[in-house]
Amino acid sequence: MTRFQALALSALIALLSACATPSEPRQEAASAPQPTRVPGGNLPKVDWSAERARITRALSGANDLSVITRNDGNLQLLIPGAEAFARDGVEPRPNLKATLDRISTVLNETPGTEILVIGHTDGVGSELHNMQLSIRRAEAVVEYMRVRGIALTRLQADGRGETEPFADNGTEAGRAKNRRVEMIVRPFTR
């Protein structure tokens, strides 16, 4: 190494050291708000049994939605998705929007609950494509519900792709049943 190269290398190291070590502590780093997933600690105590019955009464009886009480006591809302989205689309169609409007109105009355939105697809296309599509659809539903007043801290999105079919993917009727949106409604436990 020549003397010039050694001097240049020393100068570069000194410059990089000066850049990496701030002369003053940065104020914004200390005062930046910390994001949190859990809503504030002042959540009202939820009488889950009564709320589950209220939600079930309010949402039952329509053709565009099934309300099921699961073995763990949580609610499962099943929304048929055959006509809910355009082929390979993620924007909810008007019939799905109407269903989500009704669900959002009912669930807005219980801020002590959280909602897991799960997207499902049929078996047409690759597994990777279907997984990505189901996640994007669940995220679109979460965003729609957020705009309708459900706090984002109460919402989660997940996709299952084609991994949990209800019916045979070998028939159009079966594929139509497999395209769906599912919501799990439960009280906050954290």
Side-chain angles (χ1 to χ4, degrees):
M1 178 182 292
T2 67
R3 184 168 196 219
F4 176 75
Q5 289 173 329
L7 285 172
L9 183 60
S10 295
L12 180 62
I13 291 171
L15 179 64
L16 290 174
S17 295
C19 291
T21 308
S23 57
E24 301 177 6
R26 296 181 65 182
Q27 293 298 330
E28 61 269 14
S31 64
Q34 298 299 315
T36 178
R37 167 77 183 95
V38 179
N42 296 332
L43 282 176
K45 182 75 173 158
V46 175
D47 178 353
W48 179 236
S49 180
E51 279 307 305
R52 184 177 54 225
R54 182 191 67 79
I55 293 167
T56 300
R57 273 192 315 275
L59 295 176
S60 292
N63 292 334
D64 60 347
L65 175 66
S66 297
V67 182
I68 301 163
T69 300
R70 296 169 22 133
N71 290 340
D72 61 6
N74 296 326
L75 283 179
Q76 180 177 19
L77 311 180
L78 295 174
I79 306 165
E83 301 299 323
F85 300 96
R87 176 103 177 104
D88 276 342
V90 296
E91 178 65 27
R93 286 186 167 168
N95 59 337
L96 176 58
K97 288 180 179 182
T99 302
L100 295 176
D101 287 343
R102 199 167 74 252
I103 292 170
S104 296
T105 299
V106 171
L107 295 182
N108 259 327
E109 297 175 20
T110 311
T113 58
E114 60 182 346
I115 303 118
L116 171 61
V117 178
I118 306 168
H120 298 271
T121 66
D122 59 27
V124 175
S126 74
E127 287 183 44
L128 177 61
H129 173 76
N130 286 335
M131 183 61 72
Q132 292 169 337
L133 180 61
S134 69
I135 292 168
R136 290 192 343 258
R137 286 179 173 176
E139 289 171 344
V141 168
V142 162
E143 177 58 16
Y144 189 87
M145 293 178 72
R146 184 197 65 79
V147 170
R148 296 300 176 277
I150 303 285
L152 191 55
T153 54
R154 296 178 58 201
L155 294 162
Q156 299 173 38
D158 193 10
R160 305 285 166 81
E162 60 188 69
T163 62
E164 297 177 0
F166 269 176
D168 181 11
N169 271 313
T171 67
E172 180 49 43
R175 288 189 295 273
K177 287 181 181 178
N178 292 332
R179 295 188 299 267
R180 66 194 186 279
V181 175
E182 182 179 337
M183 293 182 196
I184 307 299
V185 181
R186 59 190 173 217
F188 275 110
T189 56
R190 299 176 215 138

